[in-house]
Amino acid sequence: AQSVTQLDSQVPVFEEAPVELRCNYSSSVSVYLFWYVQYPNQGLQLLLKYLSGSTLVKGINGFEAEFNKSQTSFHLRKPSVHISDTAEYFCAVSPRRQKVTFGIGTKLQVIP
Amino acid sequence: DGGITQSPKYLFRKEGQNVTLSCEQNLNHDAMYWYRQDPGQGLRLIYYSQIVNDFQKGDIAEGYSVSREKKESFPLTVTSAQKNPTAFYLCASRSADYGYTFGSGTRLTVV
């Protein structure tokens, strides 16, 4: 079975500063990897996904993530955050053709 | 635009009452899912369906029931057997590349 670990439950960062949200996973087979964002009282929205190919994946709202197979990581980054990025971010992993497992989420707090 | 519609947005349940949460999609996706979200616990899978007229239990199915009579619809019933139903419930469907589309959620409160 696969698992996902989001290493930080909360990340405070000043506006216009860079941010990295960390995600590690474990799986005995090849996986697809995802990042989702959730704004208060809303559903989750797909930010980006890694299925195959280039290990650097670009998503919406200026976010990107890098798949590192040797470290089994899929960290999410943004070079300059905005107040509107304040939300909860979920990393997810799916062995091919199987159900997705979600991490417990990281709350990003952007400070003006 | 294609998407998932969950209703109602807020729902109140009395002790001993069954309630049904609606989930409708127009994305033509085969697979649909119900998750429960509690603070600090992430998303926990309740039930999922990969095709019409078939569904499987997830990790926390006790006290819940579902049906999948149409591809577009996957309603969730929270029964009186679910002793702690207060939570945020999310419905999702899965595309061919395994990305999920979520509805906007239903917040259920026991009164």
Side-chain angles (χ1 to χ4, degrees):
Chain A
Q2 70 275 15
S3 67
V4 180
T5 301
Q6 291 186 242
L7 296 158
D8 305 294
S9 59
Q10 295 190 56
V11 174
V13 61
F14 286 104
E15 194 174 14
E16 298 184 3
V19 69
E20 178 180 82
L21 305 183
R22 297 180 293 167
C23 173
N24 286 91
Y25 70 93
S26 67
S27 176
S28 57
V29 298
S30 297
V31 296
Y32 298 143
L33 294 156
F34 308 85
W35 275 99
Y36 290 84
V37 60
Q38 184 180 32
Y39 300 101
N41 293 312
Q42 294 186 27
L44 280 68
Q45 179 185 2
L46 182 64
L47 268 180
L48 49 78
K49 61 190 174 191
Y50 171 79
L51 304 181
S52 65
S54 173
T55 57
L56 183 62
V57 180
K58 294 190 182 298
I60 62 172
N61 301 341
F63 284 93
E64 63 180 32
E66 185 157 19
F67 169 54
N68 187 318
K69 188 173 181 179
S70 62
Q71 297 187 9
T72 60
S73 68
F74 191 55
H75 300 334
L76 181 70
R77 302 185 183 102
K78 186 170 183 178
S80 176
V81 296
H82 189 267
I83 290 289
S84 59
D85 293 323
T86 295
E88 191 160 16
Y89 292 79
F90 292 88
C91 182
V93 60
S94 170
R96 296 174 186 190
R97 302 180 186 276
Q98 297 183 36
K99 301 189 305 293
V100 170
T101 297
F102 289 88
I104 63 169
T106 297
K107 291 184 178 178
L108 175 62
Q109 172 95 37
V110 180
I111 305 164
Chain B
D1 285 341
I4 293 189
T5 301
Q6 287 188 243
S7 62
K9 190 169 181 64
Y10 298 96
L11 186 58
F12 298 91
R13 193 193 93 166
K14 296 180 180 179
E15 296 285 347
Q17 190 179 46
N18 292 356
V19 292
T20 297
L21 285 59
S22 172
C23 176
E24 303 279 332
Q25 57 110 348
N26 60 3
L27 298 164
N28 200 34
H29 290 168
D30 288 313
M32 297 186 73
Y33 303 81
W34 274 106
Y35 288 91
R36 170 177 171 144
Q37 188 176 26
D38 296 280
Q41 296 194 47
L43 279 69
R44 293 185 289 168
L45 182 64
I46 305 173
Y47 266 98
Y48 64 102
S49 168
Q50 302 203 65
I51 198 167
V52 174
N53 292 322
D54 186 49
F55 49 82
Q56 286 79 41
K57 293 181 179 180
D59 302 317
I60 56 164
E62 186 174 352
Y64 300 97
S65 65
V66 294
S67 63
R68 188 83 186 278
E69 297 176 1
K70 299 187 300 182
K71 188 175 187 177
E72 301 79 16
S73 179
F74 191 40
L76 173 74
T77 296
V78 184
T79 75
S80 57
Q82 173 47 243
K83 298 306 179 188
N84 185 23
T86 294
F88 191 52
Y89 290 86
L90 288 164
C91 179
S93 68
R94 191 191 73 202
S95 65
D97 66 1
Y98 296 89
Y100 281 24
T101 299
F102 284 84
S104 56
T106 293
R107 188 166 297 280
L108 174 62
T109 304
V110 174
V111 296

